[in-house]
């Protein structure tokens, strides 16, 4: 009587040509026919049923700083469901909490803080948890030149990536000391209006100095009654369409059809600053979604309805390096380029838009070309601007 065969791929510590043989239950003899030589990268098999390879588990002896970093990223990833869960729990818990939740809901419905420059709280932006978060990848910041605090700026961030981690870390917190790196500037990171409909999460964003990415919000920051020198915005220009192109070791950005931010810069006389995040696309994998596929059609349809795309991403786990939705520990370097001054125009023509757009695209390309060999050594292709 023979026992069932179990074939495993050779581990890095063993000879890949290791031979396994079936043994009889009573002795050490083995059949010649049951002997098989395993090849590297073979998958685990039980009989004739293929099974996925064994996950690579994180060691138990992880230093405390790395544990803190992982915990901070995990907290950030579950923050939205925690906020929603807390609100629902308040609705169900008791009459008192239900009343508080309903009053809060009415407040959210009439509050327009996201359109009025946010509600910056420096103590929240400076918490240690954001430093641990940035150190996980790690995220770093560089600047091509100092920026005059007497001007207003529109920063254009590329590429979008899956969730724009580099933009949030660098401009949504003080984890990389952006207030000291670019003194005199009050930069609001802009995000979709949809985020400000989520209870409690919206308030966290407002306190982190995050505002809405719509036109009304930008006009208020750059030219509203409380606008002053140094007030600036950070726009992730590629948006939902670009997030669908976020694959590791590639950089495809949606820019040629983006003219709205240039028009705003000319209307307010704001200076444009191309900003590139090297490595932003490398921290997650994404389910293949070539144009014409059912996956891409579904994502595009969803984007047209909800204004954001359901990116089907995956990465590592908390305790494994293979399976999960946690991001990989891949470095992200955010670099601000040479500023492009825009004159303030009462009437903006198509010729004005095209002229400034050409300068801006050249600025993005120059920034990429300067740092690509240093910061993207494993790239599969060069920058593609669509």
């Amino acid at each position: 009587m023979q026992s069932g065969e179990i074939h495993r791929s050779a581990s890095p510590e063993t000879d890949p040509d290791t031979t396994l043989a079936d043994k009889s239950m009573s002795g050490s003899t083995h059949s010649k026919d049951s002997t098989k030589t395993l090849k590297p990268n073979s998958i685990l098999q039980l009989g004739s049923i293929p099974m996925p390879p064994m996950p690579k588990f994180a060691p138990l002896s992880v230093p405390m700083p790395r544990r803190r970093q992982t915990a901070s990223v995990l907290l950030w990833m579950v923050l939205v469901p925690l906020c929603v869960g807390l609100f629902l729990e308040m609705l169900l818990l008791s009459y008192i909490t239900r009343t508080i939740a309903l009053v809060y809901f009415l407040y959210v419905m009439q509050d327009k803080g996201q359109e009025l420059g946010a509600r910056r709280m420096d103590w929240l932006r400076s918490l240690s948890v954001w430093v641990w978060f940035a150190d996980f990848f790690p995220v770093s910041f560089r600047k091509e030149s100092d920026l005059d605090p007497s001007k207003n700026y529109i920063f254009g961030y590329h590429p979008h990536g899956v969730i724009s981690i580099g933009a949030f870390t660098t401009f949504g917190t003080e984890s990389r000391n952006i207030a000291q790196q670019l003194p005199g500037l009050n930069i609001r990171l802009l995000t979709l209006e949809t985020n400000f409909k989520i209870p409690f999460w919206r308030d966290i964003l407002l306190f982190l100095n995050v505002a809405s990415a719509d036109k009304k919000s930008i006009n208020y920051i750059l030219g509203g009654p409380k606008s002053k020198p140094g007030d600036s915005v950070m726009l992730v220009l590629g948006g939902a369409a670009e997030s669908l192109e976020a694959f590791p070791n590639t950089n495809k950005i949606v820019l040629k059809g983006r003219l709205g931010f240039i028009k705003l810069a000319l209307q307010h006389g704001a200076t444009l600053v191309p900003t590139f995040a090297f490595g932003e696309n490398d921290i997650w994998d994404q389910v293949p979604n070539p144009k014409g596929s059912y996956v891409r059609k579904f994502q595009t349809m969803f984007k047209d309805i909800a204004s954001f795309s359901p990116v089907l991403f995956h990465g590592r786990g908390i305790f494994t390096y293979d399976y999960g939705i946690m991001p990989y520990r891949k470095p992200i370097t955010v670099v601000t380029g040479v500023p492009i001054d825009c004159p303030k125009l009462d009437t903006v023509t198509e010729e004005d838009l095209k002229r400034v757009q050409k300068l801006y695209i050249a600025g993005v390309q120059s920034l990429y070309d300067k740092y690509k060999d240093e910061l993207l050594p494993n790239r599969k292709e060069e920058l593609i601007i669509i």
Side-chain angles (χ1 to χ4, degrees):
M1 180 177 181
Q2 300 284 332
S3 62
E5 294 181 340
I6 297 180
H7 295 163
R8 297 180 184 271
S9 60
S11 65
E13 294 78 23
T14 60
D15 184 351
D17 292 326
T18 301
T19 302
L20 298 180
D22 290 336
K23 295 182 179 181
S24 66
M25 295 183 64
S26 59
S28 60
T29 60
H30 42 273
S31 167
K32 182 177 180 180
D33 293 337
S34 64
T35 302
K36 293 188 177 180
T37 300
L38 294 183
K39 297 181 180 180
N41 302 322
S42 62
I43 63 172
L44 178 65
Q45 290 186 338
L46 182 60
S48 60
I49 302 175
M51 298 178 67
M54 292 294 292
K56 182 181 179 182
F57 290 97
L60 296 177
S61 58
V62 175
M64 183 53 67
R66 291 177 71 86
R67 291 183 185 273
R68 286 198 303 259
Q69 293 162 14
T70 302
S72 67
V73 174
L74 176 62
L75 173 64
W76 181 81
M77 294 197 68
V78 302
L79 206 48
V80 170
L82 282 177
C83 289
V84 174
L86 175 60
F87 183 75
L88 295 177
E89 181 66 20
M90 290 176 66
L91 287 175
L92 300 174
L93 188 60
S94 69
Y95 174 78
I96 295 176
T97 58
R98 187 179 304 116
T99 301
I100 294 173
L102 291 175
V103 171
Y104 173 76
F105 177 76
L106 293 175
Y107 160 75
V108 169
M109 290 297 97
Q110 61 82 36
D111 179 56
K112 299 298 181 182
Q114 69 273 17
E115 297 178 1
L116 302 176
R119 302 188 177 105
R120 180 178 181 134
M121 288 190 175
D122 286 328
W123 68 265
L124 183 61
R125 288 172 55 91
S126 302
L127 290 177
S128 296
V129 67
W130 304 126
V131 178
W132 304 337
F133 183 92
D135 289 344
F136 174 90
F137 300 94
V139 177
S140 57
F141 175 75
R142 300 184 190 181
K143 58 182 179 180
E144 284 281 273
S145 62
D146 294 325
L147 300 179
D148 184 353
S150 68
K151 298 180 179 181
N152 302 105
Y153 297 89
I154 295 179
F155 294 79
Y157 185 89
H158 314 274
H160 183 285
V162 173
I163 316 180
S164 304
I165 290 291
F168 173 79
T169 305
T170 307
F171 296 92
T173 74
E174 288 298 324
S175 62
R176 289 305 173 251
N177 301 311
I178 195 66
Q180 286 72 45
Q181 295 275 5
L182 300 174
L185 301 187
N186 184 8
I187 306 170
R188 277 83 158 189
L189 175 63
L190 305 184
T191 188
L192 290 175
E193 177 71 19
T194 309
N195 284 298
F196 298 97
K197 304 301 182 184
I198 303 173
F200 304 125
W201 171 243
R202 68 179 305 277
D203 301 290
I204 294 173
L205 292 177
L206 290 172
F207 295 151
L208 289 174
N209 211 33
V210 180
S212 174
D214 67 17
K215 182 179 178 180
K216 186 175 180 180
S217 170
I218 298 172
N219 283 331
Y220 182 88
I221 294 170
L222 298 179
K226 296 184 179 180
S227 179
K228 57 185 180 298
D231 283 341
S232 306
V233 297
M234 163 62 75
L235 274 167
V236 185
L237 295 173
E242 194 171 282
S243 67
L244 300 180
E245 308 292 347
F247 290 90
N249 301 315
T250 67
N251 287 279
K252 184 180 291 186
I253 65 175
V254 179
L255 182 55
K256 291 182 179 179
R258 300 293 198 253
L259 294 173
F261 76 104
I262 296 175
K263 185 176 183 179
L264 288 168
L266 291 169
Q267 288 174 338
H268 293 286
T271 300
L272 293 171
V273 184
T275 303
F276 206 94
F278 296 86
E280 179 70 63
N281 284 348
D282 298 340
I283 59 176
W284 272 293
D285 290 313
Q286 188 175 164
V287 173
N289 60 349
K291 291 184 177 180
S293 66
Y294 288 113
V295 173
R296 177 62 72 98
K297 289 179 180 178
F298 167 74
Q299 291 173 321
T300 302
M301 180 183 66
F302 192 98
K303 176 177 68 70
D304 293 340
I305 297 172
S307 76
F308 66 92
S309 301
V311 181
L312 305 177
F313 64 91
H314 56 94
R316 55 164 288 176
I318 303 171
F319 304 109
T320 76
Y321 296 125
D322 305 289
Y323 307 108
I325 60 170
M326 291 278 286
Y328 298 115
R329 287 181 179 267
K330 299 289 184 67
I332 301 173
T333 304
V334 179
V335 186
T336 53
V338 178
I340 302 167
D341 288 322
C342 296
K344 186 174 182 179
L345 303 176
D346 294 329
T347 302
V348 179
T349 66
E350 188 74 18
E351 183 181 351
D352 295 325
L353 293 175
K354 294 297 184 180
R355 172 177 54 82
V356 177
Q357 183 191 52
K358 184 177 180 180
L359 293 174
Y360 184 84
I361 291 177
V364 173
Q365 186 69 58
S366 176
L367 195 59
Y368 173 84
D369 290 338
K370 182 174 181 179
Y371 293 98
K372 64 182 181 180
D373 291 332
E374 175 192 355
L375 301 177
L376 298 175
N378 298 319
R379 63 188 184 280
K380 297 177 181 178
E381 59 188 28
E382 298 298 346
L383 175 66
I384 298 175
I385 301 176
I386 56 178

